[in-house]
Amino acid sequence: MDPGYYSDPPLLVLASLASGPKHGHAMIEDIERLCGTRLGPGALYGAIARLEQQGWIKPLPAEERRHPYRITPDGLKVLRAKLTKLHDFSKAGLKRLEAR
Amino acid sequence: MNRRLAHLLTRLYPRRWRERYGEEFEEFLLDSRAGPKTWMDVLRGAAGEYIHPAIGGAMNEYRTSFGTVVRQPSALIPLGMALTALTVVLIHIAVYGAAREADEGPTAHIWQLLMVAQLPALLVFGIRWLPKAPKQAMGVLALLVTAILAAMAPVLILHL
């Protein structure tokens, strides 16, 4: 059975930037390696715009035609909180399955 | 993707979004695979920006509630100091009465320190939160000013 793919673009972008600054295409490749989800340009830039407006990521000076972004300390806090919540949910769900 | 198509797809987004991301999005599209999947994704993204704009919309206000802002240390510290100053004055009045003392005692010094020390925290709060969440920050500032006035009221009214 195909387990599908995980799609929460802002969370995926934050998780990708947690390992260092990246430009858009590098984020897409990294996210695909991380969880099998390939974000399209609209989904990626929708997430980038929202994360930047929240102050969770910041743009770095452009390198040739590429525009890298980095995660901010607030972004790291948010990512940690979201992943912890997801981890707790996943643990509780798996525990229920084990009990069957 | 060719430049003409990338430009057309970028034009689908709202003007304010394009002013910030248009140029880099177009460059990004030039290096992206062209095809119905990409076009649909961009269409969905552009429609989303009209429905829930990331720029110029109420997104930040929605995500940053008054509760979130008031729980920030730069808001909690001055609020705590003002309430402590008020408590110190009220305890002093309860124990020693409202008569003015010739010399400033330790209570007066503690009160003065608390009132002065909260000003830098208040300034830090304003600088940090007014640009991010103006509406919520103004609400918190109103609360802080009320707390400060409450701490000053017994001293001014009773001429302590």
Side-chain angles (χ1 to χ4, degrees), chain A residues 40-53:
Chain A
L44 178 74
Y45 265 85
I48 285 175
R50 277 162 174 72
L51 292 170
E52 191 190 351
Q53 296 305 309

PDB file of all heavy atoms in Angstrom, chain A residues 40-53:
ATOM      1  N   GLY A  40       5.706  21.877  -5.504  1.00  0.00           N
ATOM      2  CA  GLY A  40       5.693  22.654  -6.746  1.00  0.00           C
ATOM      3  C   GLY A  40       6.081  24.093  -6.422  1.00  0.00           C
ATOM      4  O   GLY A  40       6.128  24.483  -5.246  1.00  0.00           O
ATOM      5  N   PRO A  41       6.347  24.907  -7.477  1.00  0.00           N
ATOM      6  CA  PRO A  41       6.771  26.299  -7.244  1.00  0.00           C
ATOM      7  C   PRO A  41       5.741  27.112  -6.451  1.00  0.00           C
ATOM      8  O   PRO A  41       6.109  27.905  -5.577  1.00  0.00           O
ATOM      9  CB  PRO A  41       6.933  26.879  -8.645  1.00  0.00           C
ATOM     10  CG  PRO A  41       6.978  25.719  -9.560  1.00  0.00           C
ATOM     11  CD  PRO A  41       6.276  24.582  -8.907  1.00  0.00           C
ATOM     12  N   GLY A  42       4.453  26.904  -6.740  1.00  0.00           N
ATOM     13  CA  GLY A  42       3.403  27.667  -6.046  1.00  0.00           C
ATOM     14  C   GLY A  42       3.352  27.324  -4.566  1.00  0.00           C
ATOM     15  O   GLY A  42       3.256  28.215  -3.717  1.00  0.00           O
ATOM     16  N   ALA A  43       3.430  26.025  -4.269  1.00  0.00           N
ATOM     17  CA  ALA A  43       3.379  25.594  -2.864  1.00  0.00           C
ATOM     18  C   ALA A  43       4.623  26.074  -2.128  1.00  0.00           C
ATOM     19  O   ALA A  43       4.540  26.553  -0.982  1.00  0.00           O
ATOM     20  CB  ALA A  43       3.284  24.079  -2.793  1.00  0.00           C
ATOM     21  N   LEU A  44       5.783  25.991  -2.789  1.00  0.00           N
ATOM     22  CA  LEU A  44       7.038  26.400  -2.141  1.00  0.00           C
ATOM     23  C   LEU A  44       7.013  27.890  -1.820  1.00  0.00           C
ATOM     24  O   LEU A  44       7.280  28.300  -0.685  1.00  0.00           O
ATOM     25  CB  LEU A  44       8.235  26.083  -3.036  1.00  0.00           C
ATOM     26  CG  LEU A  44       9.566  26.541  -2.441  1.00  0.00           C
ATOM     27  CD1 LEU A  44       9.994  25.631  -1.305  1.00  0.00           C
ATOM     28  CD2 LEU A  44      10.656  26.599  -3.504  1.00  0.00           C
ATOM     29  N   TYR A  45       6.673  28.721  -2.824  1.00  0.00           N
ATOM     30  CA  TYR A  45       6.703  30.169  -2.589  1.00  0.00           C
ATOM     31  C   TYR A  45       5.550  30.642  -1.695  1.00  0.00           C
ATOM     32  O   TYR A  45       5.666  31.657  -1.022  1.00  0.00           O
ATOM     33  CB  TYR A  45       6.812  30.937  -3.909  1.00  0.00           C
ATOM     34  CG  TYR A  45       8.260  31.249  -4.185  1.00  0.00           C
ATOM     35  CD1 TYR A  45       9.073  30.322  -4.822  1.00  0.00           C
ATOM     36  CD2 TYR A  45       8.853  32.406  -3.706  1.00  0.00           C
ATOM     37  CE1 TYR A  45      10.420  30.556  -5.015  1.00  0.00           C
ATOM     38  CE2 TYR A  45      10.193  32.657  -3.890  1.00  0.00           C
ATOM     39  CZ  TYR A  45      10.978  31.728  -4.539  1.00  0.00           C
ATOM     40  OH  TYR A  45      12.326  31.979  -4.702  1.00  0.00           O
ATOM     41  N   GLY A  46       4.453  29.884  -1.688  1.00  0.00           N
ATOM     42  CA  GLY A  46       3.377  30.201  -0.733  1.00  0.00           C
ATOM     43  C   GLY A  46       3.899  30.035   0.688  1.00  0.00           C
ATOM     44  O   GLY A  46       3.669  30.883   1.557  1.00  0.00           O
ATOM     45  N   ALA A  47       4.647  28.936   0.897  1.00  0.00           N
ATOM     46  CA  ALA A  47       5.203  28.674   2.228  1.00  0.00           C
ATOM     47  C   ALA A  47       6.284  29.694   2.573  1.00  0.00           C
ATOM     48  O   ALA A  47       6.304  30.235   3.681  1.00  0.00           O
ATOM     49  CB  ALA A  47       5.777  27.262   2.263  1.00  0.00           C
ATOM     50  N   ILE A  48       7.162  29.987   1.611  1.00  0.00           N
ATOM     51  CA  ILE A  48       8.251  30.951   1.851  1.00  0.00           C
ATOM     52  C   ILE A  48       7.673  32.315   2.256  1.00  0.00           C
ATOM     53  O   ILE A  48       8.116  32.931   3.217  1.00  0.00           O
ATOM     54  CB  ILE A  48       9.156  31.083   0.596  1.00  0.00           C
ATOM     55  CG1 ILE A  48      10.044  29.845   0.464  1.00  0.00           C
ATOM     56  CG2 ILE A  48      10.018  32.339   0.658  1.00  0.00           C
ATOM     57  CD1 ILE A  48      10.902  29.816  -0.800  1.00  0.00           C
ATOM     58  N   ALA A  49       6.644  32.771   1.505  1.00  0.00           N
ATOM     59  CA  ALA A  49       6.053  34.087   1.796  1.00  0.00           C
ATOM     60  C   ALA A  49       5.479  34.121   3.209  1.00  0.00           C
ATOM     61  O   ALA A  49       5.696  35.071   3.963  1.00  0.00           O
ATOM     62  CB  ALA A  49       4.969  34.407   0.776  1.00  0.00           C
ATOM     63  N   ARG A  50       4.762  33.076   3.581  1.00  0.00           N
ATOM     64  CA  ARG A  50       4.147  33.039   4.915  1.00  0.00           C
ATOM     65  C   ARG A  50       5.208  32.961   6.003  1.00  0.00           C
ATOM     66  O   ARG A  50       5.119  33.652   7.022  1.00  0.00           O
ATOM     67  CB  ARG A  50       3.174  31.872   5.008  1.00  0.00           C
ATOM     68  CG  ARG A  50       1.833  32.237   4.425  1.00  0.00           C
ATOM     69  CD  ARG A  50       0.954  31.079   4.075  1.00  0.00           C
ATOM     70  NE  ARG A  50      -0.354  31.590   3.649  1.00  0.00           N
ATOM     71  CZ  ARG A  50      -0.573  32.207   2.491  1.00  0.00           C
ATOM     72  NH1 ARG A  50       0.423  32.386   1.632  1.00  0.00           N
ATOM     73  NH2 ARG A  50      -1.759  32.660   2.180  1.00  0.00           N
ATOM     74  N   LEU A  51       6.200  32.132   5.798  1.00  0.00           N
ATOM     75  CA  LEU A  51       7.248  31.973   6.821  1.00  0.00           C
ATOM     76  C   LEU A  51       8.050  33.263   6.983  1.00  0.00           C
ATOM     77  O   LEU A  51       8.404  33.642   8.101  1.00  0.00           O
ATOM     78  CB  LEU A  51       8.178  30.811   6.454  1.00  0.00           C
ATOM     79  CG  LEU A  51       7.544  29.416   6.513  1.00  0.00           C
ATOM     80  CD1 LEU A  51       8.466  28.383   5.897  1.00  0.00           C
ATOM     81  CD2 LEU A  51       7.214  29.036   7.951  1.00  0.00           C
ATOM     82  N   GLU A  52       8.303  33.943   5.870  1.00  0.00           N
ATOM     83  CA  GLU A  52       9.062  35.191   5.973  1.00  0.00           C
ATOM     84  C   GLU A  52       8.240  36.269   6.679  1.00  0.00           C
ATOM     85  O   GLU A  52       8.761  37.017   7.509  1.00  0.00           O
ATOM     86  CB  GLU A  52       9.503  35.679   4.588  1.00  0.00           C
ATOM     87  CG  GLU A  52      10.514  36.815   4.716  1.00  0.00           C
ATOM     88  CD  GLU A  52      10.831  37.528   3.423  1.00  0.00           C
ATOM     89  OE1 GLU A  52      10.412  37.066   2.351  1.00  0.00           O
ATOM     90  OE2 GLU A  52      11.490  38.580   3.505  1.00  0.00           O
ATOM     91  N   GLN A  53       6.943  36.341   6.356  1.00  0.00           N
ATOM     92  CA  GLN A  53       6.085  37.337   7.003  1.00  0.00           C
ATOM     93  C   GLN A  53       5.970  37.074   8.504  1.00  0.00           C
ATOM     94  O   GLN A  53       5.799  37.989   9.289  1.00  0.00           O
ATOM     95  CB  GLN A  53       4.688  37.362   6.364  1.00  0.00           C
ATOM     96  CG  GLN A  53       4.673  37.789   4.904  1.00  0.00           C
ATOM     97  CD  GLN A  53       5.339  39.128   4.669  1.00  0.00           C
ATOM     98  OE1 GLN A  53       5.032  40.097   5.341  1.00  0.00           O
ATOM     99  NE2 GLN A  53       6.285  39.191   3.750  1.00  0.00           N
TER     100      GLN A  53
END
